[in-house]
Amino acid sequence: MLLLDNLIYRDFAAWKLENHDVIETFHKNESAIYERLNPIYSVLNHIYDILVEEKQLDEDLDTIFITGFNYLNSQFEIIKIYFETLFQSQCDDFNNYSEMVLYLLYIYDIRTDMENNNINSDIIELNELETCIENMIMERGNDFDYIKDKINETLKLVFGKMNYEFVSIVDIFVEIAENLGIFIYEDNELIIGKDI
């Protein structure tokens, strides 16, 4: 059986078709959401292209793909709830609060990581921070500096409860992308000099 027959790869192809317009909207509007998810999305596309060309993958790439797709899918579902429901798919309005949505996703990542390492993630300060951010988004508040200060203060407390350094899945996928030869944050060079 070809790995391309594996349902997760078909699910990814269907997912891309279903979410293409929203992804392109985020990309065109230089949304922070797109910037955050781009490393994972780029790695998944790269691995999928390898599979289509070679008809098989090694176990490591298969594991990376499954992990990345499950993460991307769950994160994107949350993002779409905010984008389509609270902001009625209005990208300009959503972009003003996309950083706040990213903070919520980051908190979710931290909680998941803590639970996976048998650390209680039910921390009063973290719960309050999450509620504060959610309320700010829903009420269209604009005290962004207060939230940033509160995040720094709360994360210092939370990271103090961990006996390891937290590394987000996005950071892991940035490293995977570089190892696969995908340079996501490559600067465009501007050449100044003689006329051609």
Side-chain angles (χ1 to χ4, degrees):
M1 178 171 94
L2 299 175
L3 278 177
L4 192 55
D5 290 338
N6 188 329
L7 281 179
I8 195 154
Y9 297 102
R10 289 182 182 192
D11 288 347
F12 177 65
W15 183 91
K16 280 176 57 172
L17 287 172
E18 178 185 331
N19 294 295
H20 176 77
D21 291 343
V22 176
I23 292 168
E24 281 305 304
T25 298
F26 289 160
H27 187 152
K28 287 177 191 169
N29 287 282
E30 298 178 355
S31 171
I33 298 287
Y34 182 82
E35 291 301 315
R36 174 172 166 77
L37 298 179
N38 188 33
I40 299 166
Y41 189 59
S42 295
V43 167
L44 294 178
N45 278 316
H46 181 79
I47 294 172
Y48 186 82
D49 290 345
I50 291 171
L51 179 60
V52 168
E53 283 179 27
E54 299 179 12
K55 308 295 185 224
Q56 60 184 1
L57 290 175
D58 66 38
E59 193 174 324
D60 290 341
L61 289 179
D62 190 48
T63 301
I64 290 167
F65 188 92
I66 292 167
T67 303
F69 180 52
N70 288 334
Y71 180 81
L72 179 68
N73 188 37
S74 67
Q75 296 278 290
F76 209 73
E77 286 307 307
I78 295 167
I79 291 164
K80 279 174 43 179
I81 289 169
Y82 282 97
F83 180 64
E84 294 173 350
T85 306
L86 284 176
F87 292 92
Q88 286 77 45
S89 301
Q90 299 298 313
C91 202
D92 289 340
D93 195 21
F94 180 72
N95 271 349
N96 294 330
Y97 293 91
S98 60
E99 190 174 0
M100 297 299 118
V101 174
L102 289 177
Y103 290 150
L104 290 174
L105 295 175
Y106 190 71
I107 291 168
Y108 176 78
D109 287 354
I110 292 168
R111 284 187 192 278
T112 301
D113 198 68
M114 290 177 80
E115 289 163 10
N116 289 340
N117 285 286
N118 298 317
I119 299 171
N120 183 10
S121 69
D122 188 22
I123 301 168
I124 292 170
E125 294 84 355
L126 197 57
N127 296 341
E128 288 173 355
L129 173 63
E130 201 168 19
T131 301
C132 188
I133 295 170
E134 287 170 347
N135 289 340
M136 183 178 164
I137 293 169
M138 294 191 14
E139 295 166 5
R140 303 295 198 275
N142 61 3
D143 199 354
F144 298 110
D145 290 335
Y146 171 77
I147 294 292
K148 288 177 184 178
D149 291 342
K150 191 94 169 130
I151 284 173
N152 289 332
E153 178 185 310
T154 304
L155 291 183
K156 188 182 290 185
L157 176 93
V158 170
F159 291 149
K161 294 181 182 285
M162 298 175 165
N163 57 357
Y164 62 93
E165 183 181 345
F166 172 72
V167 180
S168 77
I169 194 164
V170 174
D171 292 333
I172 293 168
F173 268 79
V174 167
E175 192 172 316
I176 290 169
E178 289 175 4
N179 289 333
L180 291 172
I182 306 166
F183 299 102
I184 296 163
Y185 301 116
E186 205 169 17
D187 293 330
N188 294 332
E189 291 183 9
L190 176 65
I191 300 173
I192 303 174
K194 292 193 287 183
D195 291 337
I196 297 177

